[in-house]
Amino acid sequence: MIDVLIVGAGPVGMFLAGELRVGGANPLLVEATQGARSKSGSWGERGISGRSAQILTLRGLAPALADAAMTWSETVAAAWAEKSIDRLPPGADQILNFIQLMREGKTGGHFGMFPLKADGENSDRCYSMKQHMLEQVLADWIGGLGVPLETSVHVIGVRDEGSHAVADLADGRSISARYIVGCDGGRSTVRKSAGFDFIGTPATYTGRVASVEFADSSSFTAVGRGPNGLMNSLMVPGEVTIVEFDGTGPVDRNAPVTIEELEGSMLRAAGVKATINTMDGGTRFSDNTRQVDNYRRGRIMVAGDAAHVHSPIGGQGVNMGLQDASNLGWKLASVVTGRAPESLLDTYNAERHPIVAKVLRSTRAQVALMRPGPQVEALREIMGDVMAIPEAHDYFSALVSNVNIDYAPDAAQPQVGRFIPSELRSVVSEHMPDGRFLLLDLANSYAIRDVVAGNHRVRYLPRQMPGASVGALLIRPDGYVAWVSSVGSAAGLAEALEQWGTAPHDDGAASGRGGQV
């Protein structure tokens, strides 16, 4: 029987499949479309920054991400070099500055259209690219791991049968697996058929994005806030994005977007009267903001947009989804390979639900900052002053990049539950591509080494670092600290290994499964 069936082969599904594979599990990844979910014309760009970039770096993906980001930045630069613009509209200077930061790999995204520069802990950890480029990086990775991917597989429902889970397909077949994870987007079939409660707030705006050619393409640009919304035709070459604060959200998400619809939306939202010659496709979006009540219902789980949706402005969605997959992957692999009890899966919801709830609060706040009206204009002026304060800028940068995410730090051991300390990241990252726990012994203690002797799920790394504040750290496969010791002491290490499903007696061979162990 398949260990884990993953429904949806977007970035979240692919990263989860890879995490399961390096953890020793046998996943099957299925996708309803033919081939890759996103094509080269996929809308917008994706900024992989902060914590997500740090997590992907642990799997050795930084070089591939950097290459993709460089290719995309060169595409943007070339598109701008071809433009002949007599004058720039108000607010365009902010966008151009943002593009320059993107080309330098220093953009930290934005908060409510206030650009943020990546610096400090988030420095050199941002990769901007189109989604199909990110998906190609992940597809190459899981292909090298031997993860099976089946396309044109339409899941119409899922069932928890107690001892296993079943996915029913549109062609009448079914697939059984020990667990099923829905990574199938905001309108998730897995979430709906499994009965997850999806709690939150309805849409207040209608967004539209499409590839277009304007009649006056040599001189027409628009960016910024209008009388009833937002418009941006500068950020992504050949694309226009419009947000119309209509109070309702899209009436019909599935109906084709038309040129007349886009032209009307531009006029209403931004007061811009423009003629579009041609349009390639198009899509609608909103700020519908919801989160499942629990990320797990027995043998069925959800991750990414299947677990939470919100305004896409600011690019938090793909980052949250990748972090969901990072948190769940090693835990689910430990359970299906017999290294951990099923109760370990409860920590997935316990850790991720409150974190994502804070992100939803942040996206709601950003939408509020972008609404039209004199009250919001006054608020934005004040926010501009606030953003000029270095400490405030750092706060919002950490909020958007997620580098302030911790999992219930222990008051007695404040490092536990936090991500790898910044001063140790370069040492740690090169030793975690295989998804094992890492025991970093800074005191070179025999007592610590003896606890993990023969435990193949833990990589033991002695490293002398004079002046270090701790003696050793046990780092989970997702990069978070599971245990910290004083100099030379192994107290509590065995208990931490047992708690997180890597018992000292585990020889790594119990499951007999493939993958890197």
Side-chain angles (χ1 to χ4, degrees):
M1 181 182 292
I2 299 164
D3 284 336
V4 182
L5 175 66
I6 303 170
V7 182
V12 178
M14 283 195 283
F15 190 51
L16 176 60
E19 290 294 273
L20 285 163
R21 190 62 175 160
V22 298
N26 288 326
L28 172 62
L29 183 60
V30 298
E31 168 60 37
T33 63
Q34 291 183 340
R37 176 184 288 182
S38 298
K39 307 299 182 183
S40 59
S42 59
W43 313 119
E45 66 171 18
R46 299 294 179 265
I48 309 303
S49 62
R51 187 52 41 82
S52 297
Q54 292 163 356
I55 286 170
L56 293 171
T57 297
L58 296 180
R59 297 298 176 264
L61 296 175
L65 290 170
D67 288 346
M70 179 59 69
T71 298
W72 175 237
S73 69
E74 290 174 351
T75 299
V76 173
W80 267 98
E82 294 177 358
K83 286 183 177 290
S84 175
I85 302 173
D86 297 329
R87 60 186 178 84
L88 291 175
D93 54 338
Q94 282 191 333
I95 295 295
L96 294 177
N97 181 55
F98 187 87
I99 292 172
Q100 181 60 33
L101 290 175
M102 181 185 74
R103 293 181 61 192
E104 297 172 357
K106 293 289 188 180
T107 175
H110 67 89
F111 187 88
M113 293 181 66
F114 288 95
L116 299 167
K117 184 175 181 180
D119 51 20
E121 191 174 9
N122 195 23
S123 181
D124 295 319
R125 297 281 184 172
C126 179
Y127 307 100
S128 296
M129 65 194 73
K130 298 276 273 195
Q131 179 157 320
H132 76 276
M133 302 171 77
L134 170 62
E135 290 182 356
Q136 188 60 58
V137 169
L138 294 171
D140 291 343
W141 178 55
I142 66 172
L145 294 172
V147 173
L149 168 61
E150 296 184 12
T151 58
S152 300
V153 177
H154 296 260
V155 174
I156 60 173
V158 295
R159 294 174 280 125
D160 185 342
E161 297 292 342
S163 62
H164 63 284
V166 177
D168 297 314
L169 308 184
D171 61 8
R173 295 181 299 135
S174 62
I175 301 175
S176 296
R178 297 179 64 187
Y179 294 91
I180 293 176
V181 184
C183 300
D184 50 340
R187 288 176 275 183
S188 167
T189 296
V190 172
R191 182 190 68 236
K192 294 175 182 177
S193 65
F196 288 85
D197 288 333
F198 208 33
I199 304 165
T201 53
T204 66
Y205 72 62
T206 297
R208 299 173 176 89
V209 58
S211 293
V212 301
E213 180 184 340
F214 290 105
D216 188 9
S217 58
S218 64
S219 61
F220 175 75
T221 61
V223 62
R225 303 173 66 243
N228 295 297
L230 318 167
M231 179 176 171
N232 183 358
S233 62
L234 291 179
M235 190 63 230
V236 179
E239 284 187 13
V240 61
T241 301
I242 312 153
V243 172
E244 191 175 344
F245 286 97
D246 52 12
T248 61
V251 175
D252 187 348
R253 293 284 294 270
N254 297 316
V257 178
T258 66
I259 287 178
E260 292 75 19
E261 179 182 348
L262 283 179
E263 291 177 342
S265 184
M266 285 189 290
L267 185 60
R268 292 189 301 272
V272 172
K273 185 174 178 57
T275 300
I276 298 174
N277 280 345
T278 63
M279 182 187 73
D280 179 15
T283 190
R284 303 176 186 87
F285 59 92
S286 77
D287 62 330
N288 176 38
T289 304
R290 299 181 187 278
Q291 185 180 24
V292 291
D293 56 332
N294 193 306
Y295 285 32
R296 177 190 176 209
R297 290 179 65 88
R299 292 186 174 271
I300 300 172
M301 284 154 279
V302 286
D305 288 350
H308 40 79
V309 296
H310 50 78
S311 169
I313 297 174
Q316 294 285 281
V318 69
N319 286 286
M320 284 295 98
L322 291 170
Q323 291 169 46
D324 287 346
S326 175
N327 186 283
L328 175 61
W330 66 271
K331 296 173 181 177
L332 191 49
S334 294
V335 171
V336 299
T337 55
R339 299 192 303 267
E342 190 175 14
S343 59
L344 179 63
L345 298 178
D346 293 334
T347 67
Y348 171 48
N349 180 75
E351 291 186 336
R352 291 303 297 164
H353 194 284
I355 293 299
V356 176
K358 292 179 181 179
V359 171
L360 299 192
R361 180 189 66 179
S362 171
T363 61
R364 287 188 179 103
Q366 291 185 65
V367 170
L369 274 172
M370 293 184 288
R371 294 187 186 283
Q375 291 83 6
V376 177
E377 289 292 346
L379 177 60
R380 290 186 64 83
E381 290 180 9
I382 294 173
M383 275 292 295
D385 295 337
V386 171
M387 284 290 193
I389 302 171
E391 293 80 5
H393 181 280
D394 291 347
Y395 168 81
F396 286 104
S397 180
L399 193 65
V400 169
S401 65
N402 314 131
V403 295
N404 59 352
I405 286 179
D406 299 315
Y407 293 137
D410 188 331
Q413 291 185 312
Q415 291 97 335
V416 172
R418 299 188 186 279
F419 200 70
I420 306 163
S422 56
E423 66 272 15
L424 300 176
R425 258 171 233 156
S426 60
V427 174
V428 168
S429 294
E430 62 185 281
H431 294 286
M432 297 194 72
D434 58 2
R436 289 192 280 173
F437 280 74
L438 179 68
L439 181 57
L440 183 60
D441 186 356
L442 304 175
N444 199 11
S445 166
Y446 288 107
I448 292 172
R449 183 189 64 187
D450 290 346
V451 173
V452 295
N455 187 338
H456 298 294
R457 285 302 304 172
V458 179
R459 182 188 297 276
Y460 175 72
L461 181 64
R463 182 63 60 94
Q464 290 286 350
M465 293 189 68
S469 59
V470 296
L473 302 95
L474 177 66
I475 301 170
R476 302 179 346 182
D478 59 356
Y480 287 84
V481 177
W483 169 84
V484 178
S485 84
S486 58
V487 176
S489 172
L493 176 56
E495 291 79 4
L497 291 168
E498 190 77 36
Q499 175 188 356
W500 294 110
T502 306
H505 54 75
D506 173 25
D507 63 3
S511 69
R513 290 170 167 80
Q516 300 179 27
V517 294

